[in-house]
Amino acid sequence: MAGRAVLLIPHRGDAADEGGLPGDYCKILAIVREADGPVQVRAVGERLGLDASVHGKLEPLRAKMTKLAARGWLHKRGDGRFTARP
């Protein structure tokens, strides 16, 4: 759109549902929702098949989860773990 920025990851209130999120973000959201409680980035990475033993492999995932939290899809706790928003 000319003159307007388009967010790849919309704010939760601006989106009708999570179907508007890119596929990898939907997978992350589903994994966090399925968890029994707060999850670490490492646990999500393992579920996605990432090599969690290499710290650098998790940083892009951490950035995606932080972006989801910033846009209202997830909640980032003070201890660095994430939970799903109701």
Side-chain angles (χ1 to χ4, degrees), residues 21-76:
L21 295 173
D24 50 343
Y25 288 87
C26 287
K27 289 177 190 174
I28 293 167
L29 197 54
I31 291 169
V32 175
R33 284 191 174 144
E34 290 171 0
D36 292 332
V39 295
Q40 295 179 329
V41 174
R42 176 178 303 276
V44 176
E46 289 171 351
R47 290 277 312 272
L48 290 172
L50 299 176
D51 184 359
S53 65
V54 180
H55 184 72
K57 297 283 185 180
L58 295 177
E59 288 310 307
L61 175 59
R62 183 181 319 280
K64 288 179 180 179
M65 292 177 73
T66 300
K67 187 176 288 186
L68 283 170
R71 304 283 165 78
W73 295 97
L74 295 177
H75 172 70
K76 185 175 183 180

Side-chain angles (χ1 to χ4, degrees), residues 7-22:
L7 294 176
L8 181 63
I9 310 304
H11 290 276
R12 186 174 181 196
D14 296 342
D17 64 7
E18 63 192 60
L21 295 173

